[in-house]
Amino acid sequence: MITNSASGTSIDEIADGIHRISTPATVVPGGFTFNQYLILDDEPLLFHTGLRKLFPLVREAIAAVMPVERLRWIGLSHFEADECGAMNDFLAVAPRAQPLGSETAIMVSINDFADREGRPLADGETLELGRHAVTWFDTPHLPHAWETGYLFERRTSTLLCGDLFTQFGAEHPPVTDGDIFGPSEGARKGMDYYAHAPNTRGMLERLAATRPTTLAVMHGSAWRGDGAALIRSLADALDA
Ligand SMILES: [Fe+2]
Ligand SMILES: [Fe+2]
């Protein structure tokens, strides 16, 4: 569903109660997308805000499915502009909302940057949202930034996998069961954004062990299929 025809911003449900908001951009040749994921529940969670300048578009897309002031959690994988640039704009319009991220992210950046105190999540900690529940995984430096981690939504087996499996291009289906690994490896090799942490395989193996059936990718299409196998393919490629 297109929510802004000038920008092409859209919102689509990619798993039960999980909505992908996507805005095309021209930041790299061939185009790019910035995606955010909204988990609709008693305590609605937005994973990533988008760039500060995208705030009006992301807000408009959320408003198509729920009142924005209902937002309870604003999560981030790591501290970058596309992950949390619009954090304070959302905190201003959602009085109950709180930032949500790794203990490192909250300690190092969020509790200074954000206008409301953050809620740190310990590695392995689960947060109940209502019908959904999310578990935090610390993955420092995977693919980049000390504070990085991911959320796994247990009821839909959806891994909110941030910058993993980034695909270039401005036009993507909201969710696909086609090949995203080839395109994401092309993006990784074309613009090496990986920190290559020494225990990368171990961290990817922990994510694979959740056996996700949907990967909620931040740049490109979300993906449906055998997530464990796809994550292990990435671990093999990073070893090579
Ligand atoms: Fe990033
Ligand atoms: Fe990103």
Side-chain angles (χ1 to χ4, degrees):
M1 173 175 48
I2 298 280
T3 52
N4 188 290
S5 52
S7 66
T9 303
S10 58
I11 183 164
D12 295 275
E13 189 170 12
I14 55 110
D16 186 13
I18 303 184
H19 298 256
R20 170 185 178 271
I21 298 160
S22 186
T23 301
T26 53
V27 289
V28 294
F32 202 57
T33 49
F34 293 108
N35 305 334
Q36 304 78 38
Y37 290 89
L38 174 67
I39 305 180
L40 268 188
D41 215 316
D42 298 339
E43 300 205 349
L45 185 155
L46 179 67
F47 195 62
H48 297 139
T49 67
L51 299 164
R52 185 169 60 90
K53 289 175 181 165
L54 289 186
F55 171 68
L57 296 171
V58 178
R59 174 190 187 167
E60 183 178 30
I62 294 171
V65 296
M66 71 163 222
V68 178
E69 54 271 26
R70 278 196 60 220
L71 277 175
R72 177 66 182 92
W73 302 112
I74 302 176
L76 68 151
S77 162
H78 53 280
F79 189 77
E80 280 185 329
D82 58 332
E83 276 77 9
C84 62
M87 175 67 76
N88 287 328
D89 299 282
F90 277 106
L91 294 178
V93 297
R96 291 183 63 237
Q98 259 186 286
L100 186 72
S102 70
E103 292 172 321
T104 305
I106 301 298
M107 172 183 70
V108 172
S109 294
I110 290 297
N111 276 350
D112 178 69
F113 168 80
D115 290 335
R116 199 167 296 137
E117 200 173 341
R119 161 72 158 88
L121 283 169
D123 185 37
E125 184 176 354
T126 295
L127 183 70
E128 292 287 341
L129 305 176
R131 282 198 309 129
H132 300 84
V134 287
T135 299
W136 181 261
F137 287 88
D138 277 340
T139 59
H141 308 292
L142 176 65
H144 47 245
W146 173 32
E147 68 277 10
T148 295
Y150 300 106
L151 285 174
F152 176 66
E153 200 293 300
R154 313 185 70 89
R155 307 284 146 72
T156 59
S157 296
T158 297
L159 182 65
L160 297 153
C161 65
D163 288 343
L164 302 181
F165 303 108
T166 288
Q167 308 136 53
F168 288 166
E171 286 188 21
H172 298 275
V175 60
T176 179
D177 58 7
D179 177 35
I180 64 163
F181 186 64
S184 69
E185 281 298 282
R188 185 174 70 81
K189 286 167 184 159
M191 189 184 273
D192 188 9
Y193 51 86
Y194 270 66
H196 302 290
N199 54 340
T200 294
R201 178 174 285 278
M203 292 189 284
L204 286 170
E205 186 51 45
R206 284 184 75 211
L207 297 178
T210 65
R211 299 172 62 194
T213 54
T214 301
L215 297 178
V217 174
M218 187 175 182
H219 309 285
S221 287
W223 185 80
R224 245 180 236 144
D226 180 348
L230 199 75
I231 291 166
R232 289 182 180 123
S233 299
L234 175 61
D236 289 343
L238 289 167
D239 261 1

